Amino acid sequence: MYLSRTPVLPTPEQALKGRSEPEFPVPERHTVLGNPLVGPYPEGLEVADFALGCFWGAERKFWQTAGVWTTLVGYQGGYTVNPAYEEVCSGLTGHTEVVRVVFDPQKVSYEQLLKVFWEAHNPTQGYRQGNDVGTQYRSAIYTHSPAQAAAAEASREAYQQVLTRANHGAITTELRPAADRPFYPAEPYHQQYLDKNPAGYCGIGGTGVSCPIGVAKADG
């Protein structure tokens, strides 16, 4: 099933079980922003989780956004506990490659981060992003509050309208609460990979269609 051309998500019974503890430590600080990668975070900051293809280039998009305090990459949305990269790439964990974005809402709104998310990738491609094919590359938003969920849904509806007018297909982005979808940090070498390897691979690319932001609902 997992060697076929069309990737398929595993069921909970098919997924790898993982391990009770992570196999590696998480680096202490962000190599660009200088702030801690892992919480608890300072009071007043908020957390957002986005999956938009290979997390190397996706993370860079967010650490370059003003008002973002720290970023880290990891795995989310699947079943395997404390997975390793090779396990996620096997298609047997159900996880996405995710960027966790810790931001100051006084400096950048969640809606502005959604604009970065939508415009940085093609959310109509299902289990792939460009040349990267696999369930781990699917588009997803894991929300941390009802307000985030409402904003994400509104932005998805609004962006679908402009994508449709530009002759793109249906958005396949998964929108789920983060509460019951734990985030597992990725291996140290994945963190801020394109800062350590400026000429490294970046597989994400947008549609070229601008996303409306700051909307309470999609325009009718």
Side-chain angles (χ1 to χ4, degrees):
M1 166 169 79
Y2 302 101
L3 297 178
S4 64
R5 287 189 174 184
T6 302
V8 178
L9 279 172
T11 65
E13 294 73 27
Q14 292 168 330
L16 301 173
K17 300 308 177 187
R19 51 200 56 83
S20 60
E21 298 291 336
E23 291 189 314
F24 46 83
V26 179
E28 182 178 349
R29 292 187 177 272
H30 198 286
T31 61
V32 178
L33 301 175
N35 293 320
L37 294 187
V38 178
Y41 302 113
E43 185 176 353
L45 299 184
E46 296 182 13
V47 175
D49 294 331
F50 300 109
L52 52 157
C54 176
F55 49 24
W56 293 347
E59 185 187 21
R60 181 169 63 183
K61 287 287 187 181
F62 287 105
W63 85 53
Q64 291 174 338
T65 301
V68 169
W69 192 79
T70 199
T71 61
L72 68 159
V73 297
Y75 314 113
Q76 194 173 12
Y79 308 109
T80 302
V81 178
N82 292 309
Y85 179 66
E86 292 76 11
E87 294 170 339
V88 173
C89 290
S90 76
L92 290 170
T93 70
H95 290 298
T96 56
E97 291 192 12
V98 168
V99 181
R100 171 152 286 184
V101 181
V102 182
F103 65 101
D104 184 344
Q106 299 301 315
K107 298 179 180 179
V108 61
S109 68
Y110 184 67
E111 286 79 5
Q112 289 171 304
L113 296 179
L114 286 166
K115 179 178 175 66
V116 174
F117 166 78
W118 292 119
E119 294 182 356
H121 76 305
N122 184 338
T124 70
Q125 293 189 313
Y127 294 150
R128 63 175 293 178
Q129 195 59 216
N131 293 326
D132 295 327
V133 179
T135 56
Q136 73 270 28
Y137 298 119
R138 70 189 185 273
S139 176
I141 303 172
Y142 300 113
T143 58
H144 289 263
S145 68
Q148 283 193 3
E153 180 62 38
S155 72
R156 183 170 62 178
E157 293 177 8
Y159 199 39
Q160 181 66 75
Q161 291 190 18
V162 295
L163 285 176
T164 299
R165 290 196 290 268
N167 297 315
H168 289 278
I171 289 174
T172 60
T173 302
E174 176 181 316
L175 206 171
R176 300 283 188 270
D180 54 353
R181 291 165 179 83
F183 173 91
Y184 301 102
E187 291 79 353
Y189 75 92
H190 289 301
Q191 307 297 338
Q192 297 88 63
Y193 179 86
L194 290 183
D195 177 52
K196 304 167 188 173
N197 303 275
Y201 172 75
C202 176
I204 66 169
T207 61
V209 179
S210 179
C211 177
I213 62 169
V215 292
K217 61 180 180 179
D219 295 333

